[in-house]
Amino acid sequence: VQLQASGGGLVQFGGSLRLSCAASGFTLDYYAIGWFRQAPGKEREGILCISNSDGNICHADSVKGRFTISRDNAKNTVYLQMNSLKPEDTAIYYCATDLDPVVVVGPDYWGQGTQVTVSS
């Protein structure tokens, strides 16, 4: 099981980024998956998670209306579209899964993280 996150970078306040998480070693379509982030000095938080049927199973109020999660099962990839970025969105972003169809709790499997920095 491997998760490879990419797409991070430096962006100005109000800008957009799309993160990708390519899964290998398992079929993403069968499982719930989520995006998490950890800012310096803060605990890791779940941002958006979806079940295998794309039901919302976790979300952070701080990203409501700005971030969306989606998956492309043909590419075995999940995305995080981030719009209207703010400096407080600066963090390392991770994708993760428990290899469970409906929950992302632990999670047990993590990608390596991609840095997102939003300048004011």
Side-chain angles (χ1 to χ4, degrees), residues 22-56:
S24 60
F26 68 103
T27 302
L28 184 60
D29 190 19
Y30 297 162
Y31 301 107
I33 193 161
W35 284 96
F36 298 75
R37 69 184 180 187
Q38 187 164 23
K42 295 187 177 181
E43 293 187 355
R44 189 159 49 197
E45 65 170 338
I47 305 171
L48 289 171
C49 311
I50 50 175
S51 67
N52 64 340
S53 59
D54 291 345
N56 174 27

Side-chain angles (χ1 to χ4, degrees), residues 65-84:
R66 300 188 299 122
F67 291 12
T68 56
I69 185 173
S70 62
R71 69 168 88 209
D72 184 334
N73 292 326
K75 296 182 178 179
N76 222 35
T77 299
V78 63
Y79 302 99
L80 182 67
Q81 178 66 44
M82 306 186 294
N83 299 328
S84 302

Side-chain angles (χ1 to χ4, degrees), residues 70-115:
S70 62
R71 69 168 88 209
D72 184 334
N73 292 326
K75 296 182 178 179
N76 222 35
T77 299
V78 63
Y79 302 99
L80 182 67
Q81 178 66 44
M82 306 186 294
N83 299 328
S84 302
L85 283 161
K86 306 174 182 180
E88 51 263 44
D89 294 317
T90 295
I92 300 174
Y93 285 71
Y94 303 87
C95 52
T97 182
D98 275 320
L99 293 185
D100 184 280
V102 295
V103 297
V104 183
V105 179
D108 291 330
Y109 303 95
W110 292 84
Q112 86 286 6
T114 185
Q115 176 71 48

